[in-house]
Amino acid sequence: MTATTTSVDESEQLGPQSAPESRKARVLRALAPAAAAALSGVLLYVSFPPRTLWWLALPAFAVFAWLLHGRGWKAGLGLGYLFGLGFLLPLLVWTGVEVGPGPWLALAAIEAMFVALVGAGIAAVSRLPGYPLWAAALWIAGEAARARVPFSGFPWGKIAFGQADGVFLPLAALGGTPVLGFAVVLCGFGLYEIVRQVRDVRDARNVHGTRSVRRGAAAAALLSVLVPVAGAFAARPLVSDDAEDGTATVAAIQGNVPQAGLAFNAQRRAVLDHHVRETERLADRVKAGKAKQPDFVLWPENSSDIDPFTNPDAREAIERAVRAIGAPISVGGVVESKDGELFNEQILWDPEKGPTDTYDKRQIQPFGEYIPLRGVVGFFSSDVGMVRQDFSRGTKPGVFDMAGTKVGIATCYEAAFDWAVRDTVTHGAQLISVPSNNATFDRSEMTYQQLAMSRIRAVEHSRTVTVPVTSGVSAIIMPDGRVSQKTKWFTADSLVAEVPLRSSQTPATRSGVLPEGILVLIAAGGLGWAVTAAVRAKRAR
């Protein structure tokens, strides 16, 4: 009786002293994975432009794999969301440059939900053989969903777009952004799996005194790393700068804007005059023998926000520039149709014939060029009034015949969408132009992120890509993704280069959405297998 009493008293004395330490340990155990998930997401962000640290994507996904392996889907959902926030919050901070943090935080929070669902799926398949394969396919399935919903999708932050300087880049020509992104994620998960296999062998040796190697699992882990790397090197012959159809001399004009920010829209005539003036300067340099005569000239998006079809002054200014340079110009205009519809339009302006062809932007930007659910959104934010009239969508691919060269047009935001660039090539484009207007986003990383997209598109379709931008950074990109020329921020300038013209199609161009579809099916198969296994295990208990 006495002994029992003493034992109880001792436990009562020890209990209160040890309880706080136990609670602290539990809190730390709960917070550590959450912090690691967010920080690994930040690490993934750091791998993106303007930095050239593409390889950081591999340890970022290795840590993500470690966090999710063996966990339940609910934990995967939460950790995936934190990983997504760590990645997307800093990546998309430019969206709040002019309109404040509200839209930026909302966009990142919504997009991170897709990553959360991917995290739940990866946790579910983490016990399957060949874990990295299923996990990487699930990531690409998540990107495929983000690129389509809501409001026609938002593909910004695809893993492929962070790999313009990486060793995996040639895979873009093999299977486009899905295959390139899949290879990076697979390699990252494979690195974790190799570490896990080594750790398991070490633990088995310490416990049993023998090395227990699961050869199949070890082989799968090694292949998860070796196959993407070997595939990238095997795809290098697909990347070529050869001039299959001769060459063309192209000029990209960066006229600059009176000032950064949304206020530049109130100075539309000044923006037009800047591009006219810079084109005339180039014409003077050509006459002086300081620059080569361009075959055609590319102006950026919004270089004439004054409709030249209804405003005689704007029309005369453009025609003056065209006559001075003596070559056709693709002019970025804002045009209102006879029916009152507003279009973000590229206009092909010929020195002799005037405007001869147009391309209306098809993938218009939600909350920038149109307001979805305007009544609902207006209830929460008065900023919707900044977009007084919604733009309408174009319906046809843009391919201009400019002095005998087929020039495909993908306007600004469209460069993020696989289909919007690919169908210009399937409709005959020998060169791609991505006219853009980044003045709204000041000196943020947005310009560099978008420039990296154009570099990926150059390799994906084996085409020269020109990026004429209102205020910087304009660039000329070779078919191997190399930037041959670029401008500085907020500086009036022009780029002139003789570039190769190409007409052959890469496997990525020919296959279209097929590689992405196959990866989505693989993801669905792995998820189905995991669910079936979990149901059987539950029944067995």
Side-chain angles (χ1 to χ4, degrees):
M1 184 71 174
T2 304
T4 303
T5 304
T6 303
S7 176
V8 171
D9 291 341
E10 288 175 353
S11 66
E12 288 175 351
Q13 291 174 0
L14 292 173
Q17 294 175 358
S18 59
E21 183 178 355
S22 177
R23 284 197 297 269
K24 183 179 179 180
R26 286 198 299 269
V27 170
L28 289 175
R29 280 197 301 270
L31 290 180
L39 290 174
S40 58
V42 173
L43 189 64
L44 180 60
Y45 154 72
V46 175
S47 74
F48 272 65
R51 296 157 295 276
T52 57
L53 303 174
W54 58 269
W55 52 272
L56 286 178
L58 304 182
F61 279 107
V63 173
F64 194 42
W66 167 64
L67 290 169
L68 296 181
H69 187 267
R71 292 186 181 270
W73 69 268
K74 292 181 180 178
L77 191 73
L79 293 172
Y81 192 71
L82 291 172
F83 182 81
L85 286 179
F87 171 45
L88 293 167
L89 275 172
L91 186 79
L92 302 178
V93 68
W94 52 267
T95 59
V97 167
E98 289 296 330
V99 293
W104 159 50
L105 295 174
L107 178 62
I110 292 170
E111 293 297 308
M113 291 180 184
F114 290 91
V115 184
L117 292 173
V118 169
I122 291 175
V125 303
S126 66
R127 293 181 177 86
L128 297 180
Y131 168 41
L133 172 67
W134 314 113
L138 277 165
W139 183 273
I140 299 305
E143 287 190 345
R146 282 206 305 124
R148 290 166 173 82
V149 293
F151 312 123
S152 298
F154 187 74
W156 220 276
K158 273 190 168 187
I159 298 306
F161 296 150
Q163 296 295 309
D165 295 291
V167 298
F168 298 102
L169 179 59
L171 289 170
L174 181 64
T177 59
V179 169
L180 174 53
F182 174 76
V184 175
V185 181
L186 178 63
C187 198
F189 274 79
L191 287 174
Y192 161 72
E193 195 66 6
I194 289 174
V195 172
R196 190 172 74 88
Q197 293 295 327
V198 171
R199 183 193 63 196
D200 288 350
V201 170
R202 182 198 62 193
D203 292 346
R205 182 177 58 189
N206 291 340
V207 174
H208 304 292
T210 60
R211 296 185 180 184
S212 176
V213 180
R214 294 180 298 165
R215 294 182 179 178
L222 284 172
L223 288 174
S224 297
V225 174
L226 294 179
V227 169
V229 174
F233 281 96
R236 291 179 71 176
L238 297 173
V239 181
S240 174
D241 285 349
D242 291 344
E244 297 174 332
D245 304 322
T247 63
T249 300
V250 58
I253 300 297
Q254 178 176 298
N256 201 14
V257 298
Q259 66 181 54
L262 291 176
F264 95 94
N265 284 313
Q267 305 176 48
R268 296 174 298 167
R269 182 52 193 262
V271 174
L272 172 58
D273 288 343
H274 280 209
H275 286 83
V276 170
R277 187 180 306 121
E278 188 57 35
T279 304
E280 291 174 334
R281 286 176 184 167
L282 175 59
D284 291 340
R285 289 171 55 209
V286 170
K287 291 177 182 177
K290 297 179 180 180
K292 191 173 181 180
Q293 169 66 43
D295 295 314
F296 52 89
V297 179
L298 302 169
W299 281 11
E301 177 188 33
N302 298 127
S303 47
S304 178
D305 273 356
I306 301 175
D307 187 343
F309 296 114
T310 59
N311 188 297
D313 289 345
R315 185 184 186 103
E316 194 281 328
I318 293 170
E319 288 182 341
R320 188 172 71 246
V322 174
R323 288 194 301 268
I325 197 63
I329 299 179
S330 177
V331 177
V334 174
V335 174
E336 187 172 356
S337 70
K338 294 179 181 179
D339 299 329
E341 290 184 296
L342 202 61
F343 291 96
N344 185 335
E345 189 167 87
Q346 286 288 312
I347 308 164
L348 175 55
W349 215 290
D350 186 84
E352 297 179 358
K353 301 177 183 178
T356 60
D357 200 359
T358 60
Y359 167 66
D360 297 323
K361 187 176 181 181
R362 294 171 293 165
Q363 189 66 49
I364 55 177
Q365 183 180 352
F367 305 103
E369 293 173 305
Y370 80 102
I371 304 296
L373 308 175
R374 183 179 285 268
V376 176
V377 175
F379 180 78
F380 295 98
S381 174
S382 60
D383 289 336
V384 298
M386 298 173 70
V387 182
R388 295 188 179 89
Q389 181 180 353
D390 290 343
F391 280 82
S392 297
R393 298 176 184 271
T395 57
K396 297 179 181 179
V399 180
F400 288 166
D401 186 339
M402 302 187 74
T405 297
K406 300 291 186 181
V407 179
I409 308 293
T411 304
C412 195
Y413 185 57
E414 292 182 320
F417 293 82
D418 294 347
W419 65 268
V421 182
R422 182 174 58 245
D423 69 1
T424 68
V425 179
T426 57
H427 282 77
Q430 299 166 297
L431 176 147
I432 299 169
S433 178
V434 184
S436 302
N437 171 24
N438 298 337
T440 302
F441 305 107
D442 202 10
R443 298 178 184 269
S444 70
E445 293 182 356
M446 181 270 189
T447 293
Y448 293 104
Q449 293 170 8
Q450 192 176 55
L451 182 61
M453 293 178 192
S454 295
R455 294 178 64 191
I456 299 299
R457 300 306 183 193
V459 175
E460 182 179 15
H461 301 293
S462 195
R463 295 292 188 271
T464 298
V465 176
T466 58
V467 187
V469 182
T470 50
S471 57
V473 174
S474 299
I476 295 177
I477 304 166
M478 294 294 104
D480 64 355
R482 174 175 48 90
V483 178
S484 67
Q485 296 183 38
K486 65 179 180 180
T487 63
K488 296 180 180 179
W489 286 104
F490 294 100
T491 303
D493 202 354
S494 58
L495 304 175
V496 181
E498 184 177 0
V499 298
L501 301 178
R502 296 177 58 83
S503 56
S504 64
Q505 294 186 5
T506 64
T509 306
R510 292 193 300 268
S511 59
V513 298
L514 181 61
E516 184 179 60
I518 291 173
L519 291 172
V520 170
L521 289 175
I522 291 173
L527 200 56
W529 184 6
V531 171
T532 301
V535 170
R536 288 177 177 174
K538 186 175 181 179
R539 288 176 178 173
R541 290 196 298 268

